[in-house]
Structure formats: C-alpha cells, structure tokens
Amino acid sequence: MPRTGSDGLSNDPVHVDVDAPRRIGVAVVGCGNWGRNLVRTFHQLPGADLRWACDLDAERLAVMRAQFPALATTRDFDAALDDDGVEAVIIGASAAAHRDLAVRAVAAGKHLYVEKPLALTVADAEEIVRVAEASDRILMVGHLLLFHPAVLYLRGLVESGELGDLHYLYGQRVNLGVVRQDENALWSFGPHDISVMNFLMAEMPYSVAARGQAYLQDGVEDVVFVNLRYSGGRMGQIQLSWLDPHKLRRLTVVGSRKMAVFDDTALSEKVRVYDKGASISQDYATYGEYLGLRQGDIVIPRIPMVEPLAVEGEHFLACVRDGIAPRSGGREGLEVVRVLDAASRSLALDGAPVVVEPGRATPGRAE
Ligand SMILES: NC(=O)c1ccc[n+]([C@@H]2O[C@H](COP(=O)([O-])OP(=O)(O)OC[C@H]3O[C@@H](n4cnc5c(N)ncnc54)[C@H](O)[C@@H]3O)[C@@H](O)[C@H]2O)c1
C-alpha cells in the first residue's frame, strides 16, 4: 500500500530509474512481408516508442491495426515526418522506394534505419549516405546477419586467429520460392551473404564474376552463382536460388588452421568448428611426409541464441541515443550495393569479371 500524506499524494520517495535508457520515438514505413516484423520488433523493444506505421496500402495498415490496436497508422508518410516525437524512421518498404523515403526522412531531421539493400543503384545508395552524413544523422542498413550470434562467433574465430589465415568462404542460400518479380535472386538474397563475407574478410572484394539464368520469368534470374575475389588470394563464392529442392542457409569458412560451418537451418548447434587442414612439409623423404592432412576434432560451440532482429533493433536505438557508429552503417550498405551492381554487370556479360568500384569503410576496418 502506498503511504499517503494529508494532500493525498504518495509520501513514498519518487523512484527515478536513472539507468533506464531514453526511449526513442520511431515510425516504421513499409508494413509488407518483412516490414511487419520491424513493426512487431520496435513495438516490443523497451527502448523504442513506436508512434506510427505507414504504408501506401490501406490493407496492410488494417492488418497492423488489428495486431496493434493502439498504433497510429497512415498512408501519408509526411504525417509521421511532421511528428516531433519521431526521432528515427525505419524504412522497410520495397527497395525501389528506399532512396525517396530516406532523403525525405533526413530532410525532416530524422535518423534512419534502411532495410537491405540500401538502394537499387550505386548512385541512389551514395545519395542516401551523402545526405545522412551531411545532416549528421545516424544511418544504419538492415544487414540482419551481422547481428546473428553465430556470425559474430565466426568473426571472433577469425579475429583470434583460431582459423589461421582465411583462404576462402562459400555460401549457399537456396530453396523453392518465394519467387519475386521485381528483383532477381541476386538482389533478393545476395545482400545477406555479401554483407557477411565482407564482415569476415574485413574488406570488400575487388572483383566479382556472376553467372545466372532466368527460367521462370524473362529477365529475372532465379539462379545466380557469384564469385568474389578479395585481397591476398582470398575468395568467396555464393550460390543463390529460389528454384531448388533443398532449403540451405549455409556458410563454410576455410582457414589455414581450421575450418568452420554455419548452418542457419539447424535448430541448434548452428556452428561446427573442424580441426582439419592440410600442410606441405619442406623437409620430406616420401610423398606421405610431403603432404600432411590433419583430421582432428569437431567442436560444436555453445552459442546462446537470441533473435537477431531484436538485437539489430536495440543496436540501432543505442546508436541514435548515444551517437555511436552502427556496425552496419551507410558505408557498409553502400559497399554491398557496389558489389551487387558489379555482379549485375557481370551477369549481363555472362560471367566476365567486373572490378568493384572502391568504397571506403568496411565493418570493423579503420578508414
Ligand atoms: N533483413 C531481411 O532478412 C529481409 C527479409 C526480407 C525482405 N527484406 C527487405 O525488406 C524490404 C521489404 O521487403 P518485403 O518482402 O516486405 O516487400 P513487400 O512487397 O512484402 O512489402 C513492401 C511494402 O512497402 C510498401 N511500400 C512501397 N513503397 C512505399 C512507399 N513509397 N511508401 C510507403 N510504403 C511503401 C508496399 O505497399 C508494401 O506493403 C526490401 O528492401 C527487402 O529486401 C529484408
């Protein structure tokens, strides 16, 4: 029971939680298949005050109101931009709309979270980065896997030197459906693997070659194979398809000392580290001594699993609150678009290698 004084007010000392983070007012624009996950996440995060859900499509908004009855919804993006309580805009709309929405949000003084890919052309991605930097606004790109505990574990293995020197990586992201009409398998799936490979390699590739084929719809490749060349002879390869009998979300990392596999379809035990390798002896008498193959233990590390989208959302809110540079900032997002653009040009040249225009920053790499 609270103790009350003669004025009827509580005599209990007022409790101010000085450690509680300031809540950031946010608006989510784009409430489609993925955007509704952003609405759910920012609705749940204690550091967020979700004030608006916006979409051009009234039916999508009706779905949001049914799920979150207290949430204000609008088809008019300006209504959210005019709200002084909105500090940050979360853009989960179709990629073709990212540039226009992002530029308007920055002009209204808002910080930005933009879903991957940052934009559909290098010029548009550059413009988003430029306006955000010029206005000193936080810009984060939704490269979800950079917030996956298994990917962070792999990065730790690389940084600690446990894998030795990185030789090559390959990713498989294939399944049957969802078949998209407005973007090909490269632009739909590729940002995930490219962002992870750049993160593990701590740089972007200097050259890309891609081959693919459109089987279902003219001009929209359903299957794409991408080869990436990184410095020091390191390579990456990515297989992308929505026309495949398997559902694979797998990344294999081969280093000079050990190898690791991340299988995101596994319910648990998503990472395995193989103490396997091969070495050439300089001092040998027989061929058996010349080539040493090591078949050591397989370790399954215990990695606490958390929902990457919630971690990603919390990271963005912390960046806005404390002025921190995001792990997947605008420049990292721009680098991914540069790689996608080079891969698209290579696709048009039936796999001829294309030089990736140099960017500046990569995750974890000092400029
Ligand atoms: N991080 C991930 O794992 C992940 C997964 C899937 C999709 N995505 C990305 O999320 C974005 C949306 O994808 P999706 O699958 O939800 O697409 P979707 O087609 O299901 O939904 C897009 C929504 O954006 C709305 N929209 C388009 N232009 C708009 C505008 N100018 N103003 C307001 N609303 C607008 C549409 O009405 C639609 O409701 C894309 O960039 C996609 O690449 C990310």
Side-chain angles (χ1 to χ4, degrees), residues 29 32-35 55-56 60 92-94 97-98 115-116 180 192:
V29 53
N33 291 327
W34 184 252
D55 201 296
L56 294 176
R60 303 270 193 176
S94 326
H98 287 182
E115 256 313 323
K116 64 84 191 161
R180 293 189 176 253
H192 293 301

Side-chain angles (χ1 to χ4, degrees), residues 254-298:
V254 175
S256 58
R257 289 188 59 222
K258 290 186 183 175
M259 306 173 183
V261 176
F262 163 34
D263 181 357
D264 206 9
T265 58
L267 291 178
S268 59
E269 304 180 354
K270 287 177 182 275
V271 174
R272 283 164 194 253
V273 184
Y274 295 80
D275 185 9
K276 292 187 179 205
S279 54
I280 304 291
S281 168
Q282 299 305 325
D283 183 21
Y284 61 92
T286 65
Y287 182 74
E289 290 173 24
Y290 168 69
L291 183 67
L293 292 180
R294 199 176 63 264
Q295 304 273 4
D297 292 338
I298 301 167

Side-chain angles (χ1 to χ4, degrees), residues 121-154:
T121 66
V122 172
D124 282 357
E126 281 176 339
E127 187 179 355
I128 297 173
V129 172
R130 188 178 52 74
V131 296
E133 286 183 353
S135 304
D136 204 17
R137 298 293 84 186
I138 297 288
L139 167 58
M140 174 161 151
V141 184
H143 287 302
L144 184 65
L145 286 176
L146 303 195
F147 298 87
H148 195 302
V151 171
L152 296 176
Y153 186 87
L154 288 178

Side-chain angles (χ1 to χ4, degrees), residues 75-89:
R75 295 180 62 212
D76 178 11
F77 186 42
D78 285 328
L81 296 182
D82 288 343
D83 178 353
D84 291 338
V86 171
E87 275 184 75
V89 170

Side-chain angles (χ1 to χ4, degrees), residues 108-228:
K110 314 297 183 188
H111 297 286
L112 275 185
Y113 169 106
V114 185
E115 256 313 323
K116 64 84 191 161
L118 175 57
L120 292 179
T121 66
V122 172
D124 282 357
E126 281 176 339
E127 187 179 355
I128 297 173
V129 172
R130 188 178 52 74
V131 296
E133 286 183 353
S135 304
D136 204 17
R137 298 293 84 186
I138 297 288
L139 167 58
M140 174 161 151
V141 184
H143 287 302
L144 184 65
L145 286 176
L146 303 195
F147 298 87
H148 195 302
V151 171
L152 296 176
Y153 186 87
L154 288 178
R155 166 97 174 198
L157 288 180
V158 172
E159 283 183 333
S160 69
E162 188 167 343
L163 298 182
D165 296 329
L166 277 192
H167 283 337
Y168 70 95
L169 320 173
Y170 64 94
Q172 295 155 303
R173 189 168 300 275
V174 302
N175 50 251
L176 192 59
V178 176
V179 178
R180 293 189 176 253
Q181 296 173 334
D182 47 352
E183 56 191 5
N184 62 15
L186 172 69
W187 284 82
S188 180
F189 292 155
H192 293 301
D193 301 275
I194 294 167
S195 64
V196 170
M197 289 193 178
N198 289 359
F199 186 56
L200 295 179
M201 296 291 203
E203 67 173 3
M204 72 168 185
Y206 64 85
S207 158
V208 177
R211 291 186 111 174
Q213 194 64 39
Y215 293 105
L216 303 177
Q217 308 164 88
D218 271 356
V220 183
E221 285 82 1
D222 315 286
V223 184
V224 181
F225 298 88
V226 189
N227 283 291
L228 309 149

